[in-house]
Amino acid sequence: MAYINVSGPNSNAIIQISTATTAIASTTTGYIIPALQDVTINNAAGVFNWTQLDEFSQKSVPTPANNSITANFVLDSTTFFNGSNGVKGLFDLQNDAELIQFRVYFNGRITGSKYVSGQGYVTNLAPTVNPTAPVFVSPITISVDGDLTAGTV
């Protein structure tokens, strides 16, 4: 069994985004969302269930998946407001409901690293700050449009 260890300096989880019209082609396209605190990949295939009077067991059929990427991150003013490498900042991507391409790398962007990719929309930004946590942190969701695809760098 090979566990995915993300504790090394070049093996952390990474979210890369781009506004290109096609899938991300390299590890340098667009920009990286900095200072991630956690990442969740939700691949939720739907199921519709029903019961019938003439059967004791429940029936089920698959329905389309509802996929998303969620994370929490410490805000960086450049990627939140201004953007980088020709891609708008996260705030504008959400405000403009602009379709993005993304990759979520499991253990860095070195050769052989695994990732999940797709396209979707930035949602659920909610920057928060308080006296005991004096930097802005925010959740982010990428609502996936279509399928998630696995790949290798």
Side-chain angles (χ1 to χ4, degrees):
M1 184 175 295
Y3 295 106
I4 301 173
N5 184 347
V6 298
S7 63
N10 292 322
S11 62
N12 54 312
I14 296 170
I15 299 177
Q16 175 185 5
I17 65 170
S18 171
T19 52
T21 56
T22 58
I24 293 174
S26 77
T27 58
T28 59
T29 304
Y31 64 80
I32 301 301
I33 298 174
L36 290 176
Q37 295 179 306
D38 59 61
V39 177
T40 302
I41 300 168
N42 183 12
N43 186 359
V47 176
F48 176 75
N49 300 305
W50 75 93
T51 56
Q52 296 177 188
L53 294 173
D54 63 341
E55 302 234 1
F56 184 69
S57 297
Q58 190 171 347
K59 300 284 190 174
S60 301
V61 293
T63 61
N66 182 13
N67 301 323
S68 64
I69 308 299
T70 58
N72 288 290
F73 67 104
V74 179
L75 264 65
D76 168 79
S77 63
T78 300
T79 54
F80 192 77
F81 291 109
N82 304 327
S84 179
N85 289 340
V87 179
K88 294 177 185 176
L90 295 171
F91 181 79
D92 287 336
L93 290 172
Q94 176 179 274
N95 249 5
D96 299 342
E98 188 164 340
L99 185 67
I100 64 162
Q101 306 295 323
F102 68 86
R103 279 186 182 177
V104 179
Y105 296 91
F106 280 68
N107 56 333
R109 294 182 293 165
I110 57 176
T111 302
S113 296
K114 302 290 186 189
Y115 64 83
V116 170
S117 64
Q119 65 180 16
Y121 297 91
V122 173
T123 63
N124 296 335
L125 293 174
T128 303
V129 69
N130 67 59
T132 60
V135 293
F136 275 94
V137 295
S138 179
I140 183 173
T141 299
I142 300 173
S143 294
V144 178
D145 174 34
D147 293 330
L148 292 171
T149 305
T152 304
V153 176

